[in-house]
Each structure stands twice: as C-alpha cells, then as structure tokens.
Amino acid sequence: MSENKNNVLIIDDDVNLMNAMGLVLKKYNINLITYSEPLTALQELRNNPDNFDVLVVNYILSSVKGDEIVKLIRQFNKDIYIILMSSHKELAPSIDIMRSLDIQAFFEKGSNFDDFILLIESGFKHVTQIRNIQQMSNIIDRFGLEFATAVVNTIGARDKYTGDHSIRVSAYATLLAQELKLNEEEVKLVSLAANFHDLGKVGISDSILLKEGKLTEEEYTTIKLHPVIAENILATCVTFKDVLPIIRHHHERIDGKGYPDGLTGETIPYFARLLSVCDTFDAITSRRVYREQATIEEALKEINRVKGTQLDSALVEVFTNMVNSKISKIEKIIKL
Ligand SMILES: [Fe+2]
Ligand SMILES: [Fe+2]
C-alpha cells in the first residue's frame, strides 16, 4: 500500500471490474484497494484508520446493502469520506439515509469515469481540509489554555490566597462533578471554570484585594465587579465560551440577592450553582489573617444553614454527603 494518502478502499463484489478501475486510477496517482468481503474491509478500516481517506461502497452487494456497512463504519470512523456507488441511480438510497449516514457522494457505475476521479479527488481535499481545521483548532485551544493558566498564575503571584483558593475550589468542583456522575467533558468544564472563577481579581487594586480588615461599602462594590471582569478577559478565547456563564454567575444566590445579575433559583446556570457551593466551602475552611479557619464540621453546618437562600439545596446535600464519605481527600485539599 502506498505511503502517501491517496489510498481508496473500495467494497464491491465485482473484483474484475474493480481491478480494471484500479489500473486506470493508478495513472492519476490514486491507489484502489478492493475488498469483496464487507466484513474483512470493515476490519481493515478498524485496524488501520489512517491508511484511507476515501471509501467507495457498492450499494447492492450480494451479502448485504451498502448503507448497512456504512452504518457500522460510522460507529467508529466519522472522518472518512464516503462515496456510495450503484449500477442504477434509481436503486440509490434516499437522500435522508445518505445524510443521516454522512455519505458525501453518489456515483452511478458506467457513467463518466472522469466524474468518479473528480469525486475521489474532492474526497481527498475534503479530508485534508478537515484535518487542517482540527489541527488549527487544537493549537488555538492549547494556546488559549496555556495563556489563561499564565494569567491565573499571575494572580497567584500577586495574591497567594486567590491562587491557592482557585486550585482548591477546582479540586472540590471536580470531585463534586464526578459525584454527580457528570460526563467527562462536563467534569473538565467545571474544573476549568473553577480554576479561572476569580481571574477578574487581576482587575482589582491591591489596596482592596490585599486589604486585611473589613471592606468599606465602596470597596465591596468594586470587589463585586470581579466575575464580570473575568468574563470580559476570557470573552476573546473561543476555548472559554462555555466557561463564561459559570464564571459570571458564581456569586449569584438562590434568593436573588447575589451579583452581578440577581438571578434566582434555577435561572442561575447549574454549573455556577455547583461552583458556588465549593467556593463557599473553601472560603469558610481557609485561613485568613482576619478570621479563624473553621473546621470541616463548622463549614458543613454553615453551608447547610444557607441552603435554599444562598446555595442550591440539592447540591449542598450531595456536597455534604461527599465530604463526609471522602473526609481524608477533603483534608488533603484543605492543605493545598
Ligand atoms: Fe469570586
Ligand atoms: Fe472564589
């Protein structure tokens, strides 16, 4: 098989015709690899997904219909460009079936062979473009994440408490998300949001951010801007699109007395309510110059006291049970 990417896997019973087609395609630098047995072809695609960018399937095979084969292939390969082939156009499956299986093209056997070559070449181009877009998007995502981590480290350097607090809140939020059986993507999202939730504090002056005594009314109003400042900082990164509402609303309260929007109950995004429970627990259990560090028991008592007014009741209950059942893990996080 050729090292370059111009390999086409074709599934058809008519091996003689395929061999003849293969000879013609060779002149166009296209390698046709023919399988008459659909299941063997399926195995080859499963074992060597990178060897083929284009698949051609005869719709009417002796053992099975081509769209059934495509259905099986789409379960493990969403990227390959698929051309369905048939000797009669009227025998082709409906456009709805073609769409649902992501079959990109149809070729009628016996029609202009140049059209077949063009279809295969556009398949190669399509897959290359998709691959380039994916690579670009991975680079952008990685860059966005690295850049934001650098910004969060900047807060840590300026205000050690907020840096350490973000790490602990992210650890609690990850545990809670797992406890709630959220899927892997959601756990990642919650953990990311928790890491950056107080990022907006970079926009607050040292005299307020690092003040050890009680804040004045005016200073408190300034501090309350931090969720919106964080949202504005991250708004330019596509990677953080889903994180933004979680960060913006992490100081909302169930009774509507929170900020910045005074949202109530379930109108507060679920992940923001989840983050809020972890944020509050950490604020109570951490040591501050002006306040004694509360014990786990005292912190649980406090978050249960404010459930239904400040915090989401159901989430406080799950969090409380989780803390009680994973006490040694929680003690380790408190020390971070
Ligand atoms: Fe905050
Ligand atoms: Fe916080």
Side-chain angles (χ1 to χ4, degrees), residues 201-218:
K201 289 190 177 171
V202 288
I204 308 291
S205 71
D206 280 356
S207 61
I208 300 175
L209 187 64
L210 306 177
K211 187 173 174 181
E212 289 176 1
K214 202 173 180 299
L215 297 176
T216 65
E217 189 88 3
E218 202 183 333

Side-chain angles (χ1 to χ4, degrees), residues 2 19 38 44 49 52 58 67 78 80 83 115 128 133 169-170 176 181 209 227 258 272 292 308 311 322 328:
S2 167
N19 287 343
E44 173 64 21
F52 305 97
N58 189 357
D67 57 332
K78 303 255 184 274
I80 198 163
I83 303 169
D115 290 349
T128 305
I133 292 168
V169 174
S170 183
L176 182 55
K181 306 263 183 293
L209 187 64
E292 268 304 295
L311 301 173
M322 180 189 84
S328 61

Side-chain angles (χ1 to χ4, degrees), residues 165 197-199 201 223 226-227 247 250-251 259 279:
H165 162 74
H197 77 282
D198 279 338
L199 176 67
K201 289 190 177 171
I223 277 278
H226 78 272
I247 293 182
H250 78 272
H251 282 290
Y259 61 89
D279 191 25

Side-chain angles (χ1 to χ4, degrees), residues 50-307:
D50 296 334
N51 279 355
F52 305 97
D53 285 347
V54 175
L55 168 73
V56 180
V57 186
N58 189 357
Y59 182 50
I60 310 288
L61 292 160
S62 54
S63 50
V64 64
K65 272 192 172 174
D67 57 332
E68 293 297 322
I69 296 293
V70 173
K71 202 183 278 180
L72 294 172
I73 290 168
R74 280 293 182 226
Q75 285 175 10
F76 63 88
N77 190 331
K78 303 255 184 274
D79 300 328
I80 198 163
Y81 186 92
I82 300 182
I83 303 169
L84 202 66
M85 185 167 70
S86 172
S87 20
H88 301 287
K89 211 170 191 172
E90 56 277 15
L91 292 179
S94 71
I95 188 134
D96 290 342
I97 293 181
M98 303 263 286
R99 274 199 191 119
S100 71
L101 294 174
D102 201 16
I103 294 171
Q104 284 92 349
F106 178 81
F107 177 69
E108 190 177 1
K109 260 187 192 176
S111 56
N112 190 345
F113 199 65
D114 286 349
D115 290 349
F116 188 53
I117 295 167
L118 286 175
L119 281 179
I120 291 175
E121 285 175 349
S122 55
F124 289 143
K125 279 183 208 150
H126 172 87
V127 174
T128 305
Q129 276 166 359
I130 296 283
R131 205 168 277 138
N132 288 344
I133 292 168
Q134 275 167 354
Q135 273 173 0
M136 266 329 269
S137 141
N138 288 345
I139 290 169
I140 292 166
D141 276 5
R142 213 178 53 230
F143 176 74
L145 208 58
E146 285 171 359
F147 182 72
T149 306
V151 178
V152 168
N153 290 343
T154 312
I155 326 180
R158 184 172 157 222
D159 168 18
K160 191 171 177 333
Y161 170 75
T162 303
D164 294 346
H165 162 74
S166 304
I167 293 169
R168 289 188 302 265
V169 174
S170 183
Y172 294 130
T174 307
L175 278 185
L176 182 55
Q178 286 163 344
E179 191 74 17
L180 291 160
K181 306 263 183 293
L182 300 185
N183 68 38
E184 207 180 315
E185 282 299 302
E186 292 169 327
V187 174
K188 262 194 222 161
L189 178 67
V190 165
S191 147
L192 194 66
N195 253 314
F196 300 124
H197 77 282
D198 279 338
L199 176 67
K201 289 190 177 171
V202 288
I204 308 291
S205 71
D206 280 356
S207 61
I208 300 175
L209 187 64
L210 306 177
K211 187 173 174 181
E212 289 176 1
K214 202 173 180 299
L215 297 176
T216 65
E217 189 88 3
E218 202 183 333
E219 288 166 339
Y220 186 53
T221 306
T222 306
I223 277 278
K224 287 199 315 198
L225 296 174
H226 78 272
V228 176
I229 297 173
E231 190 188 29
N232 291 338
I233 293 172
L234 296 173
T236 50
C237 300
V238 184
T239 318
F240 289 96
K241 163 175 74 60
D242 299 330
V243 162
L244 299 184
I246 310 177
I247 293 182
R248 180 180 178 95
H249 298 296
H250 78 272
H251 282 290
E252 302 287 357
R253 293 172 49 112
I254 298 298
D255 58 13
K257 292 179 185 165
Y259 61 89
D261 299 316
L263 299 183
T264 55
E266 291 187 359
T267 60
I268 305 166
Y270 182 64
F271 293 156
R273 282 180 269 150
L274 184 161
L275 177 56
S276 186
V277 174
C278 303
D279 191 25
T280 308
F281 178 81
D282 187 70
I284 303 168
T285 49
S286 31
R287 188 185 301 279
R288 304 306 302 267
V289 179
Y290 52 85
R291 176 173 47 67
E292 268 304 295
Q293 180 179 20
T295 62
I296 292 178
E297 204 186 338
E298 286 163 343
L300 288 182
K301 203 171 160 194
E302 178 58 17
I303 63 168
N304 277 277
R305 189 184 68 80
V306 297
K307 71 180 179 192

